[in-house]
């Protein structure tokens, strides 16, 4: 069972550079904040894309499919935790 976290914790994870995604997004698409670029980076198919901002829609605050991730320390993998609004 995934550990449940609040939407505010998703934003906190995002601002700490951790990957954030939703189950409803395309496979392997996630966003993280990069201090190096002082911008958000969208990862998915192809090369990562730097974006200056993220549009958060009001209904996203109530979505229950958000996942915050942790990068594996040795492998190129992400461990995901699903949220509960």
């Amino acid at each position: 069972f995934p550990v449940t976290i609040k939407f505010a914790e998703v934003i906190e994870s995002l601002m700490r550079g951790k990957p954030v995604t939703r189950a409803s997004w395309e496979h392997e698409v996630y966003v993280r904040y990069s201090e190096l670029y002082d911008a958000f980076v969208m990862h998915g198919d192809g090369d990562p894309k730097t974006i200056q901002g993220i549009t958060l829609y009001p209904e996203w605050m109530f979505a229950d499919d958000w996942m915050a991730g942790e990068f594996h320390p040795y492998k190129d993998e992400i461990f995901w935790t699903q949220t509960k609004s």
Side-chain angles (χ1 to χ4, degrees), residues 1-4 80-83:
F1 293 93
V3 176
T4 58
W80 295 105
T81 301
Q82 190 163 0
T83 67

Side-chain angles (χ1 to χ4, degrees), residues 4 8-10 15 21 23 31 36 43 47 49 58 63 74-75:
T4 58
E9 293 174 285
V10 172
M15 295 312 297
T21 192
V31 177
L36 177 64
H43 297 264
D47 293 330
K49 296 179 178 108
Y74 306 111
K75 300 178 183 176

Side-chain angles (χ1 to χ4, degrees), residues 4-57:
T4 58
I5 60 177
K6 296 180 181 178
F7 181 75
E9 293 174 285
V10 172
I11 299 301
E12 183 179 323
S13 294
L14 182 62
M15 295 312 297
R16 289 187 175 181
K18 295 180 179 182
V20 174
T21 192
R22 289 188 63 192
S24 62
W25 289 358
E26 293 180 28
H27 182 66
E28 300 211 14
V29 172
Y30 67 92
V31 177
R32 68 177 179 83
Y33 179 74
S34 170
E35 287 187 13
L36 177 64
Y37 299 111
D38 192 27
F40 296 97
V41 180
M42 172 136 336
H43 297 264
D45 293 335
D47 293 330
K49 296 179 178 108
T50 302
I51 50 180
Q52 294 302 315
I54 296 178
T55 301
L56 294 175
Y57 301 99

Side-chain angles (χ1 to χ4, degrees), residues 59-72:
E59 59 270 16
W60 286 10
M61 291 178 52
F62 302 105
D64 62 359
D65 66 341
W66 282 104
M67 294 184 282
E70 293 280 343
F71 291 105
H72 189 283

